[in-house]
Amino acid sequence: MERIKGLIDAPFTPMDSRGEVNLQPIGAYASMLQLNGLKGVFINGSSGEGYMLTTEERMRLAEAWVREAPKDFKVIVHVGSCCLKDSCMLARHAASIGAWGIGSMAPPFPKVGRIEELVKYCEAIAGSAPNLPFYYYHIPAFNGAYLPMVELLKAVDGRIPNFAGIKYTYESLYEYNQCRLYGGGKFDMLHGQDETILPSLAQGGAQGGIGGTTNYNGRELVGIIEAWQKGDLETAREKQNFAQAVINVICHYRGNIVAGKRIMKLIGFDLGPNRVPFQNMTDQEEAAMKQELEAIGFFGRCNRF
């Protein structure tokens, strides 16, 4: 299967003022991401509030992203659900509309506690779209599935033919690298933490990644990889440190899903509010966050459109 090279964005779901899905911005959204160096999108995941969308909304979003995607822009559809039947249906739908690939995290309920449980879950979903690459989305802070990922790779190896790899969103760079090395690099290990792209590159990995702050800070994150490839370590370090400074700001305002979506408004790309039970930012919080971002020079380096 084709390996992903470069960074894939995890987009926010555009909403109107009433909190209903708004498909209208998606064409411009996709073009903006490509302009800033992103290679595709991983839609309906955590940044996209996927578990707070109806199945019909998720299908409509997938159709819109596939329809509006620029040439050679990959659309990977997150199909994970607490209902496995819905996940399988979403996987079949993604295949039918021409998505590039599918992925799924472990369900937040019931919590998955054994590798075999997780393998069966992935096997059913991947088998519903056997001609698409399937990525497991490892984000244990979201769903409590703190399972060893090397053991997952051993268990799926030879069992799930279209298991492409893992979107690895966890703090253990050691485990990430061990997964990358498994089977001589058999699986596509997509780095999932924007704050540690550079150390992953130094280990020999991170040929591809999926990020959330790439929505508004993609130019700088792409620049880390470009500088590394040129052997310009100092520039790569500076850009990684800047990316961490941006993340420090959003952590003051409930993280990327809430603060990041409001940053999109600040850079001129209003994607609407978050759905309940997310606590949307107040106007006062927005003004304070803007000041913090100005203090680190963010608006001169953020994504352009």
Side-chain angles (χ1 to χ4, degrees):
M1 288 180 281
E2 179 186 352
R3 297 289 180 106
I4 290 175
K5 304 291 184 183
L7 296 181
I8 301 288
D9 180 69
F12 303 110
T13 293
M15 304 278 187
D16 64 21
S17 60
R18 298 170 298 127
E20 297 296 326
V21 171
N22 177 17
L23 303 179
Q24 190 275 330
I26 288 176
Y29 198 171
S31 296
M32 180 275 286
L33 292 171
Q34 187 183 55
L35 175 67
N36 289 280
L38 283 306
K39 303 301 182 184
V41 286
F42 183 51
I43 67 167
N44 297 344
S46 51
S47 295
E49 303 173 70
Y51 279 89
M52 302 163 75
L53 303 172
T54 68
T55 301
E56 180 187 2
E57 287 174 328
R58 293 171 71 168
M59 290 192 291
R60 286 171 50 217
L61 280 159
E63 290 164 7
W65 276 103
V66 170
R67 182 174 62 249
E68 300 290 347
K71 188 176 184 296
D72 300 324
F73 197 73
K74 293 177 170 62
V75 178
I76 305 170
V77 183
H78 175 259
V79 299
S81 169
C82 291
C83 175
L84 182 57
K85 286 186 176 182
D86 282 350
S87 292
C88 294
M89 180 176 65
L90 288 166
R92 290 190 295 270
H93 176 262
S96 73
I97 63 174
W100 184 86
I102 58 172
S104 178
M105 64 180 80
F109 178 84
K111 285 186 170 57
V112 174
R114 298 188 306 126
I115 288 291
E116 180 60 19
E117 294 169 0
L118 182 56
V119 173
K120 287 180 177 177
Y121 179 78
C122 293
E123 189 173 33
I125 298 171
S128 298
N131 295 321
L132 296 186
F134 170 85
Y135 286 88
Y136 173 62
Y137 179 8
H138 183 50
I139 183 167
F142 182 92
N143 51 30
Y146 289 93
L147 295 170
M149 287 296 98
V150 174
E151 295 305 311
L152 175 65
L153 294 181
K154 290 177 182 177
V156 301
D157 194 356
R159 178 169 169 180
I160 303 178
N162 58 327
F163 190 100
I166 297 173
K167 180 197 173 188
Y168 190 92
T169 307
Y170 188 52
E171 289 77 15
S172 178
L173 289 174
Y174 167 73
E175 183 185 51
Y176 169 80
N177 198 47
Q178 290 300 297
C179 290
R180 187 187 66 81
L181 294 171
Y182 171 81
K186 183 172 184 176
F187 292 101
D188 196 10
M189 291 299 301
L190 302 177
H191 188 261
Q193 288 200 304
D194 297 341
E195 55 268 45
T196 55
I197 292 174
L198 183 55
S200 294
L201 286 168
Q203 291 184 113
Q207 298 302 306
I210 301 178
T213 67
T214 47
N215 281 289
Y216 42 86
N217 199 36
R219 285 198 301 145
E220 293 298 312
L221 293 162
V222 169
I224 295 170
I225 298 175
E226 291 175 344
W228 174 264
Q229 290 172 340
K230 293 175 183 176
D232 185 354
L233 183 58
E234 288 307 309
T235 296
R237 282 174 176 161
E238 191 280 331
K239 290 181 179 298
Q240 181 69 89
N241 289 337
F242 176 75
Q244 291 189 359
V246 173
I247 290 168
N248 289 343
V249 173
I250 65 172
C251 286
H252 298 158
Y253 302 95
R254 298 184 289 286
N256 182 59
I257 300 173
V258 173
K261 201 170 190 183
R262 189 63 69 97
I263 289 175
M264 299 300 285
K265 177 182 173 228
L266 292 175
I267 67 173
F269 210 86
D270 192 348
L271 298 174
N274 298 103
R275 279 196 170 166
V276 175
F278 282 115
Q279 180 186 352
N280 282 283
M281 289 179 64
T282 65
D283 291 342
Q284 292 77 15
E285 286 176 320
E286 179 186 310
M289 181 175 70
K290 183 179 179 182
Q291 287 185 334
E292 290 190 43
L293 291 169
E294 287 172 340
I296 61 173
F298 170 76
F299 294 103
R301 302 175 68 164
C302 62
N303 282 357
R304 298 171 179 165
F305 56 93

